Amino acid sequence: MAIYVIAAGFFFGYGAKLLSLRRDAGEIAYIYRSFWTDIAPNLIAIGLVAYGIYRTGVLTLGPFTGIGVTSGFSLIGFGFWGWTVHVVPEFRKEGLLMLDQFIPWKQVLTYQWESEESLQIDYLTQNKKLSEFTTYIPPEDQLLLERILGKKIIEYEEERKQMMLELDDE
């Protein structure tokens, strides 16, 4: 039972952290939506929550057992976490959100098209290391995303230059 309680606490806490991170990152400017990246994960999360509620014994009005209640809560927590995490990057008002990592716009250095539908974004991590990620962007959304990225790169150009100067001094 203790392992189920720990798992439930972990997933509820992690899900709450992701919700807080999303709130701090601002409104969504762009996110790639498809059945497999948006609807299917949410359906699985809803199924896990529903099965978790059933597992606790609340729907059947008993019998309530410690193992049933705690395992139900861990399933509900896992479903909640699954509902809060997105498998595709979110381009938000304040920065990029990838799974559980937030990258402020001032840390985004460049972007380039690796192929026709593959966008590579280079950025600095919190500990000032250069990193990159590549994501799929459908052709019909490429112009919109180019406008968003171009606007954000220009908007934070001075802060980015200052960060680069500090990095050179180290």
Side-chain angles (χ1 to χ4, degrees):
M1 285 185 352
I3 292 173
Y4 283 133
V5 169
I6 291 169
F10 173 79
F11 288 118
F12 275 116
Y14 210 103
K17 177 188 172 204
L18 288 174
L19 286 178
S20 173
L21 196 59
R22 259 197 197 89
R23 184 187 66 237
D24 295 343
E27 298 174 7
I28 293 177
Y30 174 79
I31 184 173
Y32 172 63
R33 295 190 186 275
S34 75
F35 176 80
W36 297 111
T37 63
D38 200 28
I39 296 170
N42 287 337
L43 289 175
I44 292 169
I46 290 169
L48 282 169
V49 169
Y51 184 67
I53 292 170
Y54 168 77
R55 183 79 175 114
T56 61
V58 171
L59 295 178
T60 58
L61 301 175
F64 297 104
T65 61
I67 197 81
V69 171
T70 57
S71 68
F73 280 139
S74 70
L75 285 169
I76 294 169
F78 188 65
F80 173 67
W81 173 79
W83 175 72
T84 60
V85 71
H86 289 152
V87 295
V88 294
E90 300 175 28
F91 297 81
R92 293 183 161 264
K93 183 180 178 187
E94 301 297 324
L96 299 171
L97 189 61
M98 296 180 304
L99 295 176
D100 66 342
Q101 182 182 11
F102 177 67
I103 303 162
W105 285 116
K106 67 181 180 182
Q107 290 178 226
V108 175
L109 301 175
T110 62
Y111 69 93
Q112 63 188 15
W113 293 99
E114 229 176 47
S115 69
E116 237 176 77
E117 297 174 345
S118 246
L119 178 68
Q120 177 184 329
I121 296 180
D122 299 323
Y123 63 97
L124 287 175
T125 63
Q126 294 294 347
N127 32 343
K128 309 287 187 210
K129 293 189 178 178
L130 185 61
S131 192
E132 66 183 41
F133 77 91
T134 304
T135 187
Y136 169 79
I137 305 295
E140 61 270 11
D141 294 344
Q142 289 176 358
L143 184 58
L144 170 68
L145 199 56
E146 287 246 2
R147 287 181 182 155
I148 292 170
L149 288 170
K151 180 181 169 189
K152 293 298 181 179
I153 296 254
I154 291 170
E155 184 178 338
Y156 290 95
E157 189 171 347
E158 289 301 318
E159 292 170 4
R160 192 174 305 102
K161 283 180 184 177
Q162 184 64 32
M163 279 179 43
M164 295 304 285
L165 286 174
E166 290 172 7
L167 190 60
D168 287 341
D169 290 341
E170 292 176 8

